[in-house]
Amino acid sequence: MAILLSGAAGFIGSHVARCLLARGETVIGIDNLNSYYDVSLKQARLSQLMGDEKFTFHKIDIANRQALKTLFAKTHIDRIVHLAAQAGVRYSIENPDVYVSSNLQGHANMLELARRNQIRHMVYASSSSVYGGNTKTPFSEDDLTDDPVSFYGATKKSNELLSNSYAHLYRVPLTGLRFFTVYGPWGRPDMAYWIFTEKITSGQPLRIFNKGDMGRDFTYIDDIVDGVIRALDHSPVITTDGVPHRVYNLGNDSPEELMTMVSMIEEKLGTAAVKVFEEMQKGDVKRTWADISRARKELGYDPKITLEQGLSNFIDWYVGTWEQAGRKTVSR
């Protein structure tokens, strides 16, 4: 029995892989290793996994259904953790076609393979971006999500709708996880915490959008991984009339102001940043905050890492591992 992990070279995927391997699972990782951000970072994450005999990797694009079918034909896979997707709110405005291929066609392919191969359970990545223009906080899974303000958010909302349809029609057990601003070591260079750290250490000014009046429910990677594993182990119950599809928020339930994050990074680095305040960017939202009461009750999910501790861990990694190795990324 093996777990198929899509997006294995990604930030969340590589951390989930390490956790699954640590508990003795056999993991088959797939990723297309695209160049949305520094491919050497993805390869470095993979290199940490390749030494484990229970891990195998295949360079596959989830939009390629035939490649996926060939892989399934060779291996007995009983569960799927589907984290592969084209990420990035702002990039989705510039290049929507990439999101159609990966997030729509790719997700549909994974659903169809889960159905055809009678997968016991598939956990997939959704996003807080589905809440779009909602102004009521905290965001609850029962809130309407009919107003995505980014194309990325629209594709993630579509993933949830497709999943619900598959669960209803074919009784495929599916769990969607709405991630809230995940950060930490080995993270994504397009995220604000990485960009700010990189720019401060290289003496460049910070672009602060909406003139700093923004807030996020920053969620540390270890807490997110814990939620993913708990969801994987908690398959939705299939009943005669029920639909085996459940959606959960995975956040920290402790939103922080953007400028608070900037101050924490400055303090940790011992350097004051030059700040350039700009207007809100198209597709962005002012604040996010996850209501995690459903995940607490049903999964036992209980995030523990504060933003201050999490940023300290990231900066220690960035300065001591990534930057020390002479690696630099180009921030978008």
Side-chain angles (χ1 to χ4, degrees), residues 208-317:
I208 309 291
F209 298 113
N210 203 39
K211 300 180 180 179
D213 185 15
M214 300 179 74
R216 290 291 183 271
D217 196 346
F218 299 102
T219 316
Y220 190 65
I221 183 61
D222 290 3
D223 288 326
I224 286 293
V225 171
D226 178 66
V228 172
I229 300 301
R230 287 176 181 275
L232 180 64
D233 293 343
H234 187 85
S235 181
V237 176
I238 303 177
T239 62
T240 304
D241 300 318
V243 176
H245 178 226
R246 197 70 162 147
V247 173
Y248 297 97
N249 287 335
L250 291 188
N252 197 44
D253 192 23
S254 182
E256 298 272 9
E257 293 298 311
L258 177 64
M259 296 311 297
T260 299
M261 181 186 74
V262 173
S263 296
M264 288 178 179
I265 295 173
E266 290 177 314
E267 183 175 354
K268 175 70 177 178
L269 292 173
T271 304
V274 176
K275 306 172 185 70
V276 179
F277 293 95
E278 301 185 11
E279 299 299 327
M280 178 77 89
Q281 286 241 310
K282 186 183 295 185
D284 217 339
V285 296
K286 190 173 180 179
R287 279 177 173 74
T288 64
W289 178 3
D291 177 348
I292 59 172
S293 55
R294 177 184 293 180
R296 284 188 192 277
K297 179 180 178 181
E298 298 182 11
L299 303 179
Y301 174 67
D302 186 24
K304 294 178 170 57
I305 305 300
T306 64
L307 179 61
E308 184 175 19
Q309 180 60 57
L311 286 175
S312 179
N313 293 348
F314 166 74
I315 293 169
D316 285 344
W317 169 83

Side-chain angles (χ1 to χ4, degrees), residues 70-238:
T70 300
L71 177 63
F72 270 79
K74 295 177 180 178
T75 312
H76 185 72
I77 295 166
D78 70 326
R79 287 163 294 166
I80 298 173
V81 179
H82 172 37
L83 303 178
Q86 177 58 57
V89 167
R90 292 168 190 158
Y91 189 61
S92 72
I93 298 171
E94 303 168 20
N95 293 281
D97 286 353
V98 180
Y99 292 75
V100 172
S101 174
S102 181
N103 299 9
L104 298 182
Q105 184 61 61
H107 188 75
N109 287 346
M110 297 298 288
L111 287 172
E112 184 62 9
L113 287 164
R115 173 173 85 95
R116 297 286 183 184
N117 293 275
Q118 299 181 316
I119 295 299
R120 280 175 26 202
H121 186 201
M122 184 173 97
V123 174
Y124 67 92
S126 187
S127 169
S128 62
S129 293
V130 302
Y131 290 107
N134 287 18
T135 56
K136 180 191 77 64
T137 55
F139 298 157
S140 167
E141 295 93 342
D142 294 326
D143 293 342
L144 288 177
T145 53
D146 296 336
D147 185 26
V149 296
S150 68
F151 190 69
Y152 169 70
T155 64
K156 287 300 185 179
K157 170 66 174 180
S158 299
N159 289 170
E160 293 183 6
L161 292 172
L162 286 169
S163 298
N164 199 71
S165 178
Y166 262 74
H168 175 76
L169 293 171
Y170 309 118
R171 294 296 189 259
V172 179
L174 300 163
T175 299
L177 302 176
R178 294 174 177 171
F179 297 138
F180 280 71
T181 315
V182 189
Y183 72 101
W186 297 101
R188 273 178 34 207
D190 63 325
M191 300 291 284
Y193 69 94
W194 183 306
I195 293 172
F196 291 166
T197 300
E198 182 178 69
K199 288 189 178 298
I200 292 173
T201 57
S202 59
Q204 299 178 59
L206 309 185
R207 298 174 66 197
I208 309 291
F209 298 113
N210 203 39
K211 300 180 180 179
D213 185 15
M214 300 179 74
R216 290 291 183 271
D217 196 346
F218 299 102
T219 316
Y220 190 65
I221 183 61
D222 290 3
D223 288 326
I224 286 293
V225 171
D226 178 66
V228 172
I229 300 301
R230 287 176 181 275
L232 180 64
D233 293 343
H234 187 85
S235 181
V237 176
I238 303 177

